[in-house]
Amino acid sequence: MIRLLGIVFLLLAAAFSGQARAHDLRPAYLAITESAPDVYAVTWKAPALGERRLAIYPSLPKSAVEETQREGVFLSDAYVERWTVRAPTGFAGETITIDGLPESRTDVLVRIERLNGDTSTARLTPARPSFEVPASMGLRQVAAAYLGLGVEHILFGVDHLIFVLALILLVRGWKRICLTVTAFTVAHSITLGAATLGYLNVPGPPVQAAIALSIALVAVEIVNGSRGQESLAARIPWLIAFAFGLLHGLGFAGALSEVGLPNHAIPVALLFFNIGVELGQLLFIAAVMALFAILRPLWFRVVDPNASWSHTMPLVGAAYCIGGVASFWLIERVYGFWA
């Protein structure tokens, strides 16, 4: 059993560490910003591994004539390209397409910002690789776009999901789980709003490293609890969830700041992005609890009928896996400060 758990841990560590490196840059990103009348600065960012990039390319309307040569560079996990176009008729009513997107498994976030402050945002998927740019986005379109972005961010944000999983493993009872998750929600909503609106400005790399540390600390508390060493985190988990939730909110804000907020509907965009994050989080919690409901009776019936669920090998093994992966992320992200 121990050997099997070791193999499982190594597989999980390899899978999750790879996903963590691609977490922030998972979707491709196309930003078109009007820098002068009829002149637009274009930034295209596509996921990459080393010097191998994802084979997807933006196709702008023919009315947008390139004025400068494209300049591209490979970053740690993305290919970034910049150039300038002149579009005398603007982009309203025109179609933007991402070539190669139907054959990929990624999404593309598109943001068009005009000099008058109007902003259009869209999320393109393999099933929807193009869209017609509206003259301006109404509140309904803004709400739908940022709701989808919020759900997508949390469901693909492996480190945030693992932290929520660790909280579920730490807490006993539905009431305590609800209180803990609510505290986490309230906390990250506070810092998400404050950072996005410019009241907080914390560098991204230290935040990502601290998030990894928070996951590792909760994993330690799970193991201690399985040994009967109840700590403050086990007695008052909502307090710990609130404290670490403030930290995770800064991580959410980092993703949202990349996409930006429409100037004419900042409250709506921020609200629905946060709602999307919560919907994704609730979907994940429901899936985890359903899985527990299936596995717990099977474990008691097949393996050990007399065991306490809080002391079972799967629970402790999961805590060690979570802690090991989080420790790997912590080392990797701290090393990235100087890399």
Side-chain angles (χ1 to χ4, degrees):
M1 176 65 74
I2 298 299
R3 185 177 180 181
L4 177 61
L5 284 173
I7 295 173
V8 171
F9 164 72
L10 291 175
L11 292 175
L12 285 173
F16 284 142
S17 61
Q19 291 189 48
R21 285 192 292 269
H23 171 211
D24 293 333
L25 302 176
R26 172 190 37 77
Y29 180 53
L30 176 64
I32 303 174
T33 305
E34 190 174 11
S35 56
D38 302 333
V39 177
Y40 295 81
V42 181
T43 299
W44 167 244
K45 182 169 68 175
L49 182 61
E51 293 192 357
R52 296 178 58 189
R53 54 165 294 181
L54 191 64
I56 54 177
Y57 308 91
S59 177
L60 302 183
K62 293 182 179 179
S63 58
V65 180
E66 296 189 15
E67 286 203 325
T68 62
Q69 191 173 14
R70 299 190 182 195
E71 296 181 355
V73 62
F74 282 95
L75 301 178
S76 58
D77 46 10
Y79 173 75
V80 180
E81 198 171 46
R82 293 182 174 87
W83 68 98
T84 302
V85 301
R86 179 174 291 276
T89 60
F91 287 88
E94 301 281 5
T95 298
I96 293 177
T97 303
I98 306 299
D99 296 332
L101 189 58
E103 291 75 37
S104 71
R105 293 188 297 175
T106 190
D107 296 344
V108 178
L109 308 178
V110 181
R111 174 182 169 85
I112 302 174
E113 185 174 353
R114 303 171 181 87
L115 279 176
N116 62 7
D118 286 344
T119 303
S120 297
T121 304
R123 181 173 65 94
L124 304 184
T125 66
R128 180 178 173 255
S130 63
F131 85 112
E132 183 177 309
V133 181
S136 62
M137 290 185 72
L139 295 182
R140 181 179 299 179
Q141 289 82 4
V142 171
Y146 281 83
L147 181 70
L149 291 176
V151 173
E152 180 186 75
H153 179 71
I154 188 65
L155 291 182
F156 287 93
V158 179
D159 47 3
H160 297 299
L161 289 184
I162 288 186
F163 181 78
V164 174
L165 174 61
L167 289 178
I168 296 174
L169 295 177
L170 176 67
V171 179
R172 302 285 178 267
W174 275 103
K175 182 178 179 180
R176 288 165 64 86
I177 288 177
C178 289
L179 285 174
T180 301
V181 172
T182 299
F184 180 66
T185 296
V186 171
H188 72 62
S189 298
I190 292 172
T191 47
L192 169 61
T196 303
L197 296 175
Y199 296 109
L200 282 176
N201 185 14
V202 182
V207 169
Q208 295 302 321
I211 287 174
L213 178 61
S214 72
I215 299 170
L217 292 176
V218 176
V220 171
E221 293 302 315
I222 296 172
V223 175
N224 289 338
S226 70
R227 297 171 177 171
Q229 302 172 7
E230 192 175 50
S231 64
L232 178 65
R235 293 194 303 271
I236 316 176
W238 48 88
L239 179 62
I240 303 302
F242 184 87
F244 288 153
L246 295 172
L247 184 64
H248 283 248
L250 295 174
F252 294 140
L256 185 56
S257 64
E258 185 172 88
V259 180
L261 296 171
N263 293 333
H264 69 291
I266 289 177
V268 173
L270 184 57
L271 172 65
F272 277 87
F273 180 84
N274 201 51
I275 291 175
V277 168
E278 299 319 314
L279 286 177
Q281 184 173 281
L282 290 174
L283 287 173
F284 175 74
I285 292 172
V288 170
M289 298 308 292
L291 183 61
F292 283 179
I294 295 172
L295 292 180
R296 187 186 315 205
L298 287 177
W299 177 267
F300 291 151
R301 186 182 308 142
V302 176
V303 180
D304 191 350
N306 301 314
S308 168
W309 178 245
S310 62
H311 293 78
T312 57
M313 184 65 74
L315 189 68
V316 177
Y320 276 107
C321 287
I322 291 171
V325 171
S327 298
F328 176 84
W329 287 341
L330 177 60
I331 295 170
E332 182 184 50
R333 292 172 183 182
V334 170
Y335 174 76
F337 295 170
W338 300 277

